[in-house]
Amino acid sequence: MFKNFKKGGQRKPSKSSDSSADASSKGIGAPGPGPTSKSGVGAPVQNTVEPVVPPPMTHVEPLPLLGKSPAAERQNLFMRKLQICCFQFDFTDTLKSAREKEIKRQTLLELVDFIQSGTGKVAEACLGEMIKMVGVNIFRCLPPASHESSGTEVVDPDEEENYSEPSWQHLQIVYELLLRYVVSSDTDTKVAKRYIDHTFVLKLLDLFDTEDFREREYIKMVLHRIYGKFMVHRPLIRKSISNIFYRFIYETERHSGMGELLEILGSIINGFSMPMREEHKLFLMRALIPLHKTKQVGNYHQQLSYCIVQFVDKDYKLADMVIRGLLKYWPLVNCQKEVLFLGELEEVLEETQSTEFQRCMVPLFRKIALCLNSPHFQVAERALFFWNSEHIVSLIAENRQVILPIIFEALEKNIQSHWNTEVHGLTVNVRKMFSEMDAELVNECQKQLAEKQAKAREVAEQREMTWKKLEDAASK
């Protein structure tokens, strides 16, 4: 991983020498001027050397500041500071090793400032040690989730206390160091990908399951930057996120970082080129749409809805598949989920063209009719809000001969008997809109409904007579 230290590479030229035989190599700090010959004939020579991994440190001790050290010594000093940052401490006891913890924290802050200042490029040997230090700190066994330790069901994140990682005062700076390095314009991706490799990325993805939302935010920023800068990691990141989703959907239904993963995907989907690759369509069908079936969908629905709408916005032909997928996983007894689904459905319909709408409008409006008659006023109200969208109204108007007969009975039932006055008023407005759109069709639907109700009364009367005959026969 690291370049071997060449024998004699650190030997300084003799004071009596008229020229220097050693060439300098690139390091972290800016190269300093080399010694000049006494005769004045020789040119200045750089006096930096390839950094060498120092022997392991046995204890934490303060080191000179990088900014105040000679340029030729910064590389090896940088390596020694990285070793300080590899020490691990017990943060459950705030008084234990307090001095060493503070030295490490200050050292981490100095390294972040050094990377951010752009004083010089990080030499490859130093880069390897730096990524190793990052891994030592952030790659760890996560503590059991609250539901695992207590045995309770996962609750709404807004209602539970936020978990705080005890070592966050150090972890935050380590993540900041990694982020600053990845986004730096001085970072050479060809060199960096040897250390920020597939294994590193996979371990980073595993950390999304941490319950500390601050850590998830940092991981999200780092991974998003890695995806943008390291082309070689893009297929791996997409595939790994898919695998996390599959495990969540079909096995555990428990993961702390679904929202953050979906936020990353939202940016990725936004950058898809057209025509869309089959791989991406399969991901939509097999991973994103089934995410609607879980009990915890409310925790990440906003990000999920954004991803779904992005797909339809990119390729309107996917609207039929998305709408049918939503209908497949439509909640049966959870009214709050129904409200979320209706909101997402409206956003999808805003991007839907007439051809795709016609393919799914029959099952779609059968479901909407059920929602219109929901005793939960928020569900009924949200379904009626569809008629506030000009685009959706135009689609309905084009296909009113099919749609109105499906929902007319639900509208009449709301007008006659719904308990909520707001729902009653919205329903009256929708019926009026249809009357203005096609009064003849409304009259025809009303006539058909009257006939249907008359037949239903006849059937009920026949049933009652039959039961009466059976009762009379049984009493004899």
PDB file of all heavy atoms in Angstrom, residues 30-55:
ATOM      1  N   ALA A  30       4.015  22.539   0.742  1.00  0.00           N
ATOM      2  CA  ALA A  30       4.633  23.117  -0.438  1.00  0.00           C
ATOM      3  C   ALA A  30       6.131  22.951  -0.324  1.00  0.00           C
ATOM      4  O   ALA A  30       6.717  23.037   0.751  1.00  0.00           O
ATOM      5  CB  ALA A  30       4.277  24.603  -0.523  1.00  0.00           C
ATOM      6  N   PRO A  31       6.831  22.628  -1.438  1.00  0.00           N
ATOM      7  CA  PRO A  31       8.265  22.384  -1.376  1.00  0.00           C
ATOM      8  C   PRO A  31       9.002  23.638  -0.945  1.00  0.00           C
ATOM      9  O   PRO A  31       8.715  24.742  -1.392  1.00  0.00           O
ATOM     10  CB  PRO A  31       8.625  21.979  -2.808  1.00  0.00           C
ATOM     11  CG  PRO A  31       7.533  22.519  -3.644  1.00  0.00           C
ATOM     12  CD  PRO A  31       6.310  22.509  -2.791  1.00  0.00           C
ATOM     13  N   GLY A  32       9.974  23.433  -0.073  1.00  0.00           N
ATOM     14  CA  GLY A  32      10.773  24.559   0.402  1.00  0.00           C
ATOM     15  C   GLY A  32      12.059  24.679  -0.377  1.00  0.00           C
ATOM     16  O   GLY A  32      12.479  23.748  -1.072  1.00  0.00           O
ATOM     17  N   PRO A  33      12.736  25.779  -0.313  1.00  0.00           N
ATOM     18  CA  PRO A  33      13.966  25.957  -1.063  1.00  0.00           C
ATOM     19  C   PRO A  33      15.071  25.085  -0.502  1.00  0.00           C
ATOM     20  O   PRO A  33      15.206  24.927   0.707  1.00  0.00           O
ATOM     21  CB  PRO A  33      14.277  27.444  -0.883  1.00  0.00           C
ATOM     22  CG  PRO A  33      13.592  27.826   0.387  1.00  0.00           C
ATOM     23  CD  PRO A  33      12.384  26.967   0.476  1.00  0.00           C
ATOM     24  N   GLY A  34      15.861  24.507  -1.348  1.00  0.00           N
ATOM     25  CA  GLY A  34      16.980  23.667  -0.934  1.00  0.00           C
ATOM     26  C   GLY A  34      18.199  24.518  -0.670  1.00  0.00           C
ATOM     27  O   GLY A  34      18.221  25.715  -0.921  1.00  0.00           O
ATOM     28  N   PRO A  35      19.279  23.922  -0.190  1.00  0.00           N
ATOM     29  CA  PRO A  35      20.493  24.668   0.098  1.00  0.00           C
ATOM     30  C   PRO A  35      21.174  25.118  -1.170  1.00  0.00           C
ATOM     31  O   PRO A  35      21.083  24.481  -2.207  1.00  0.00           O
ATOM     32  CB  PRO A  35      21.343  23.652   0.872  1.00  0.00           C
ATOM     33  CG  PRO A  35      20.861  22.325   0.413  1.00  0.00           C
ATOM     34  CD  PRO A  35      19.404  22.489   0.127  1.00  0.00           C
ATOM     35  N   THR A  36      21.846  26.213  -1.097  1.00  0.00           N
ATOM     36  CA  THR A  36      22.579  26.749  -2.239  1.00  0.00           C
ATOM     37  C   THR A  36      24.064  26.566  -1.997  1.00  0.00           C
ATOM     38  O   THR A  36      24.543  26.671  -0.866  1.00  0.00           O
ATOM     39  CB  THR A  36      22.273  28.255  -2.397  1.00  0.00           C
ATOM     40  OG1 THR A  36      20.865  28.413  -2.399  1.00  0.00           O
ATOM     41  CG2 THR A  36      22.845  28.797  -3.683  1.00  0.00           C
ATOM     42  N   SER A  37      24.795  26.261  -3.039  1.00  0.00           N
ATOM     43  CA  SER A  37      26.234  26.037  -2.895  1.00  0.00           C
ATOM     44  C   SER A  37      26.932  27.310  -2.476  1.00  0.00           C
ATOM     45  O   SER A  37      26.490  28.414  -2.758  1.00  0.00           O
ATOM     46  CB  SER A  37      26.821  25.548  -4.233  1.00  0.00           C
ATOM     47  OG  SER A  37      26.676  26.556  -5.216  1.00  0.00           O
ATOM     48  N   LYS A  38      28.041  27.139  -1.764  1.00  0.00           N
ATOM     49  CA  LYS A  38      28.788  28.290  -1.282  1.00  0.00           C
ATOM     50  C   LYS A  38      29.355  29.109  -2.423  1.00  0.00           C
ATOM     51  O   LYS A  38      29.541  30.300  -2.318  1.00  0.00           O
ATOM     52  CB  LYS A  38      29.928  27.823  -0.371  1.00  0.00           C
ATOM     53  CG  LYS A  38      29.438  27.292   0.966  1.00  0.00           C
ATOM     54  CD  LYS A  38      30.612  26.904   1.847  1.00  0.00           C
ATOM     55  CE  LYS A  38      30.128  26.384   3.193  1.00  0.00           C
ATOM     56  NZ  LYS A  38      31.249  25.994   4.073  1.00  0.00           N
ATOM     57  N   SER A  39      29.658  28.447  -3.514  1.00  0.00           N
ATOM     58  CA  SER A  39      30.253  29.165  -4.637  1.00  0.00           C
ATOM     59  C   SER A  39      29.239  29.971  -5.413  1.00  0.00           C
ATOM     60  O   SER A  39      29.588  30.791  -6.248  1.00  0.00           O
ATOM     61  CB  SER A  39      30.944  28.174  -5.588  1.00  0.00           C
ATOM     62  OG  SER A  39      29.991  27.264  -6.068  1.00  0.00           O
ATOM     63  N   GLY A  40      27.952  29.683  -5.153  1.00  0.00           N
ATOM     64  CA  GLY A  40      26.901  30.419  -5.835  1.00  0.00           C
ATOM     65  C   GLY A  40      26.603  29.894  -7.214  1.00  0.00           C
ATOM     66  O   GLY A  40      25.776  30.436  -7.921  1.00  0.00           O
ATOM     67  N   VAL A  41      27.264  28.787  -7.628  1.00  0.00           N
ATOM     68  CA  VAL A  41      27.033  28.246  -8.973  1.00  0.00           C
ATOM     69  C   VAL A  41      25.784  27.382  -9.008  1.00  0.00           C
ATOM     70  O   VAL A  41      25.005  27.405  -9.947  1.00  0.00           O
ATOM     71  CB  VAL A  41      28.270  27.435  -9.442  1.00  0.00           C
ATOM     72  CG1 VAL A  41      28.017  26.822 -10.795  1.00  0.00           C
ATOM     73  CG2 VAL A  41      29.496  28.322  -9.459  1.00  0.00           C
ATOM     74  N   GLY A  42      25.540  26.601  -7.921  1.00  0.00           N
ATOM     75  CA  GLY A  42      24.428  25.648  -7.932  1.00  0.00           C
ATOM     76  C   GLY A  42      23.084  26.331  -7.783  1.00  0.00           C
ATOM     77  O   GLY A  42      22.973  27.391  -7.179  1.00  0.00           O
ATOM     78  N   ALA A  43      22.024  25.705  -8.360  1.00  0.00           N
ATOM     79  CA  ALA A  43      20.652  26.225  -8.250  1.00  0.00           C
ATOM     80  C   ALA A  43      20.015  25.714  -6.971  1.00  0.00           C
ATOM     81  O   ALA A  43      20.422  24.684  -6.424  1.00  0.00           O
ATOM     82  CB  ALA A  43      19.833  25.777  -9.460  1.00  0.00           C
ATOM     83  N   PRO A  44      18.984  26.405  -6.475  1.00  0.00           N
ATOM     84  CA  PRO A  44      18.292  25.922  -5.268  1.00  0.00           C
ATOM     85  C   PRO A  44      17.700  24.534  -5.499  1.00  0.00           C
ATOM     86  O   PRO A  44      17.162  24.249  -6.567  1.00  0.00           O
ATOM     87  CB  PRO A  44      17.187  26.971  -5.063  1.00  0.00           C
ATOM     88  CG  PRO A  44      17.658  28.180  -5.789  1.00  0.00           C
ATOM     89  CD  PRO A  44      18.454  27.683  -6.935  1.00  0.00           C
ATOM     90  N   VAL A  45      17.753  23.680  -4.504  1.00  0.00           N
ATOM     91  CA  VAL A  45      17.282  22.307  -4.605  1.00  0.00           C
ATOM     92  C   VAL A  45      16.227  22.066  -3.528  1.00  0.00           C
ATOM     93  O   VAL A  45      16.415  22.451  -2.381  1.00  0.00           O
ATOM     94  CB  VAL A  45      18.452  21.308  -4.433  1.00  0.00           C
ATOM     95  CG1 VAL A  45      17.944  19.876  -4.520  1.00  0.00           C
ATOM     96  CG2 VAL A  45      19.518  21.570  -5.474  1.00  0.00           C
ATOM     97  N   GLN A  46      15.090  21.409  -3.922  1.00  0.00           N
ATOM     98  CA  GLN A  46      14.040  21.085  -2.957  1.00  0.00           C
ATOM     99  C   GLN A  46      14.554  20.056  -1.963  1.00  0.00           C
ATOM    100  O   GLN A  46      15.329  19.169  -2.315  1.00  0.00           O
ATOM    101  CB  GLN A  46      12.799  20.543  -3.672  1.00  0.00           C
ATOM    102  CG  GLN A  46      12.113  21.595  -4.525  1.00  0.00           C
ATOM    103  CD  GLN A  46      10.909  21.021  -5.239  1.00  0.00           C
ATOM    104  OE1 GLN A  46      10.765  19.821  -5.286  1.00  0.00           O
ATOM    105  NE2 GLN A  46      10.098  21.884  -5.785  1.00  0.00           N
ATOM    106  N   ASN A  47      14.090  20.165  -0.733  1.00  0.00           N
ATOM    107  CA  ASN A  47      14.616  19.293   0.307  1.00  0.00           C
ATOM    108  C   ASN A  47      13.499  18.496   0.986  1.00  0.00           C
ATOM    109  O   ASN A  47      13.506  18.314   2.177  1.00  0.00           O
ATOM    110  CB  ASN A  47      15.356  20.129   1.351  1.00  0.00           C
ATOM    111  CG  ASN A  47      16.214  19.258   2.255  1.00  0.00           C
ATOM    112  OD1 ASN A  47      16.641  18.192   1.854  1.00  0.00           O
ATOM    113  ND2 ASN A  47      16.449  19.741   3.469  1.00  0.00           N
ATOM    114  N   THR A  48      12.453  18.092   0.197  1.00  0.00           N
ATOM    115  CA  THR A  48      11.392  17.261   0.746  1.00  0.00           C
ATOM    116  C   THR A  48      11.630  15.822   0.352  1.00  0.00           C
ATOM    117  O   THR A  48      12.245  15.542  -0.671  1.00  0.00           O
ATOM    118  CB  THR A  48      10.018  17.706   0.210  1.00  0.00           C
ATOM    119  OG1 THR A  48      10.044  17.664  -1.203  1.00  0.00           O
ATOM    120  CG2 THR A  48       9.695  19.111   0.698  1.00  0.00           C
ATOM    121  N   VAL A  49      11.145  14.918   1.149  1.00  0.00           N
ATOM    122  CA  VAL A  49      11.360  13.492   0.906  1.00  0.00           C
ATOM    123  C   VAL A  49      10.032  12.766   0.974  1.00  0.00           C
ATOM    124  O   VAL A  49       9.052  13.274   1.506  1.00  0.00           O
ATOM    125  CB  VAL A  49      12.334  12.903   1.952  1.00  0.00           C
ATOM    126  CG1 VAL A  49      13.710  13.497   1.795  1.00  0.00           C
ATOM    127  CG2 VAL A  49      11.813  13.110   3.359  1.00  0.00           C
ATOM    128  N   GLU A  50      10.008  11.568   0.433  1.00  0.00           N
ATOM    129  CA  GLU A  50       8.810  10.743   0.501  1.00  0.00           C
ATOM    130  C   GLU A  50       8.528  10.390   1.956  1.00  0.00           C
ATOM    131  O   GLU A  50       9.430   9.945   2.677  1.00  0.00           O
ATOM    132  CB  GLU A  50       9.023   9.466  -0.312  1.00  0.00           C
ATOM    133  CG  GLU A  50       7.826   8.554  -0.364  1.00  0.00           C
ATOM    134  CD  GLU A  50       6.695   9.136  -1.179  1.00  0.00           C
ATOM    135  OE1 GLU A  50       6.941  10.040  -2.001  1.00  0.00           O
ATOM    136  OE2 GLU A  50       5.557   8.692  -0.987  1.00  0.00           O
ATOM    137  N   PRO A  51       7.290  10.611   2.442  1.00  0.00           N
ATOM    138  CA  PRO A  51       7.016  10.320   3.852  1.00  0.00           C
ATOM    139  C   PRO A  51       7.125   8.835   4.142  1.00  0.00           C
ATOM    140  O   PRO A  51       6.855   7.993   3.288  1.00  0.00           O
ATOM    141  CB  PRO A  51       5.594  10.817   4.040  1.00  0.00           C
ATOM    142  CG  PRO A  51       4.990  10.778   2.683  1.00  0.00           C
ATOM    143  CD  PRO A  51       6.114  11.091   1.735  1.00  0.00           C
ATOM    144  N   VAL A  52       7.499   8.528   5.353  1.00  0.00           N
ATOM    145  CA  VAL A  52       7.615   7.137   5.783  1.00  0.00           C
ATOM    146  C   VAL A  52       6.703   6.940   6.986  1.00  0.00           C
ATOM    147  O   VAL A  52       6.572   7.836   7.829  1.00  0.00           O
ATOM    148  CB  VAL A  52       9.075   6.780   6.147  1.00  0.00           C
ATOM    149  CG1 VAL A  52       9.589   7.663   7.276  1.00  0.00           C
ATOM    150  CG2 VAL A  52       9.209   5.310   6.531  1.00  0.00           C
ATOM    151  N   VAL A  53       6.078   5.773   7.063  1.00  0.00           N
ATOM    152  CA  VAL A  53       5.195   5.481   8.184  1.00  0.00           C
ATOM    153  C   VAL A  53       6.020   5.377   9.448  1.00  0.00           C
ATOM    154  O   VAL A  53       6.919   4.530   9.543  1.00  0.00           O
ATOM    155  CB  VAL A  53       4.419   4.168   7.947  1.00  0.00           C
ATOM    156  CG1 VAL A  53       3.507   3.874   9.132  1.00  0.00           C
ATOM    157  CG2 VAL A  53       3.612   4.249   6.667  1.00  0.00           C
ATOM    158  N   PRO A  54       5.776   6.233  10.448  1.00  0.00           N
ATOM    159  CA  PRO A  54       6.566   6.188  11.680  1.00  0.00           C
ATOM    160  C   PRO A  54       6.197   4.967  12.514  1.00  0.00           C
ATOM    161  O   PRO A  54       5.144   4.361  12.326  1.00  0.00           O
ATOM    162  CB  PRO A  54       6.175   7.489  12.385  1.00  0.00           C
ATOM    163  CG  PRO A  54       4.813   7.809  11.885  1.00  0.00           C
ATOM    164  CD  PRO A  54       4.764   7.307  10.471  1.00  0.00           C
ATOM    165  N   PRO A  55       7.047   4.590  13.435  1.00  0.00           N
ATOM    166  CA  PRO A  55       6.711   3.457  14.319  1.00  0.00           C
ATOM    167  C   PRO A  55       5.481   3.795  15.159  1.00  0.00           C
ATOM    168  O   PRO A  55       5.218   4.959  15.449  1.00  0.00           O
ATOM    169  CB  PRO A  55       7.960   3.311  15.196  1.00  0.00           C
ATOM    170  CG  PRO A  55       8.667   4.621  15.102  1.00  0.00           C
ATOM    171  CD  PRO A  55       8.369   5.153  13.739  1.00  0.00           C
TER     172      PRO A  55
END
